Amino acid sequence: MSSAPVTEETVEVKDTEAAPEKAFSKTSEYIPTPEPTQRRDRTRTPSEMFEKVVFVNRCAKVVKGGRRFSFSALMVVGDNKGKVGVGFGKAREVSEAIRKGTENAKKNLHIYNIGPSTLPHEVEGAFGGGRVLLRPASLGTGLIAGGGVRAVLEAAGVKDVLAKSMGSSNAANVVKATVDALSKLRTRSQILEVRGKKRAERPAKATKEKSE
């Protein structure tokens, strides 16, 4: 008579212990999700771009309670492989102006024809009162440029160049004049296409003259 109720109690304990194990296994199956991997990829992409602040301007507006300050930032963004963009941002704080400038610059990215280390030929650019002269240089010369010209060439990935600013010293005009100069660059194959010549014609004629 006394042995029957003991077995019933043991069975009840086993049922109550087995239930939480099943609930834990179900919740653990839904833990891994693809969302964290997508967020990591988004954070990696901006770090690959070269960003540089060219100029930050402060503007003061006089009001009844005092003076209100606003800031404007000129930004240059590039991938060091020939792609460059220029942006301008305005805000009440410097950090916010820089953020707006970088976003604007990333929307205006353009690809330019540059060589592995220097420019293919001499070129001159102008915008407003700014005039910039760019000349190719031999390997190991470095970036002989300053200010906004240097920022644009660094973002484009040019390593050896001789540059001279011959017009206005306004940072915005100098940067846009440098971008105008880069837009005028042409490779050898593009120039031969415009002239209606093939790339293999020139060395063939040179070899015939040497044989004669």
Side-chain angles (χ1 to χ4, degrees):
M1 296 293 289
S2 61
S3 61
V6 174
T7 54
E8 289 178 359
E9 289 178 359
T10 55
V11 171
E12 290 177 359
V13 172
K14 287 180 181 179
D15 293 336
T16 53
E17 289 179 354
E21 288 181 0
K22 291 181 180 179
F24 179 75
S25 62
K26 286 181 180 179
T27 53
S28 61
E29 290 176 0
Y30 295 97
I31 288 173
T33 54
E35 292 181 2
T37 55
Q38 291 177 358
R39 289 176 184 174
R40 287 176 187 172
D41 294 337
R42 289 174 186 173
T43 54
R44 286 176 189 171
T45 48
S47 61
E48 297 175 359
M49 302 295 288
F50 173 86
E51 300 175 1
K52 190 165 185 180
V53 182
V54 180
F55 184 72
V56 176
N57 186 33
R58 188 185 73 173
C59 179
K61 182 182 180 182
V62 180
V63 295
K64 187 177 180 181
R67 287 188 294 177
R68 287 183 183 176
F69 294 101
S70 62
F71 300 91
S72 60
L74 181 65
M75 299 293 299
V76 174
V77 176
D79 63 346
N80 296 323
K81 295 178 183 177
K83 188 182 287 186
V84 186
V86 179
F88 197 74
K90 294 181 181 181
R92 292 287 181 87
E93 296 180 1
V94 178
S95 59
E96 188 67 15
I98 292 171
R99 186 189 65 80
K100 287 182 179 180
T102 52
E103 287 181 358
N104 191 11
K106 287 176 183 178
K107 292 177 183 178
N108 299 322
L109 287 171
H110 298 283
I111 300 174
Y112 301 101
N113 298 315
I114 62 170
S117 63
T118 187
L119 305 178
H121 56 84
E122 183 179 332
V123 68
E124 185 176 342
F127 184 88
R131 285 178 60 221
V132 174
L133 176 66
L134 304 178
R135 287 182 179 178
S138 57
L139 189 66
T141 304
L143 280 174
I144 311 299
V149 182
R150 187 182 186 89
V152 174
L153 295 175
E154 278 183 356
V158 182
K159 299 176 183 176
D160 305 303
V161 73
L162 301 171
K164 177 69 177 177
S165 178
M166 301 180 295
S168 172
S169 60
N170 186 9
N173 287 340
V174 171
V175 167
K176 290 177 181 179
T178 308
V179 172
D180 180 62
L182 293 177
S183 64
K184 296 178 181 178
L185 292 173
R186 299 289 182 271
T187 59
R188 182 183 174 186
S189 59
Q190 288 175 343
I191 294 171
L192 291 174
E193 253 183 74
V194 174
R195 295 178 181 177
K197 297 181 180 179
K198 293 183 180 179
R199 196 169 185 177
E201 284 182 4
R202 190 173 178 181
K205 289 181 181 178
T207 51
K208 286 180 182 180
E209 289 176 359
K210 286 181 181 179
S211 60
E212 289 175 358

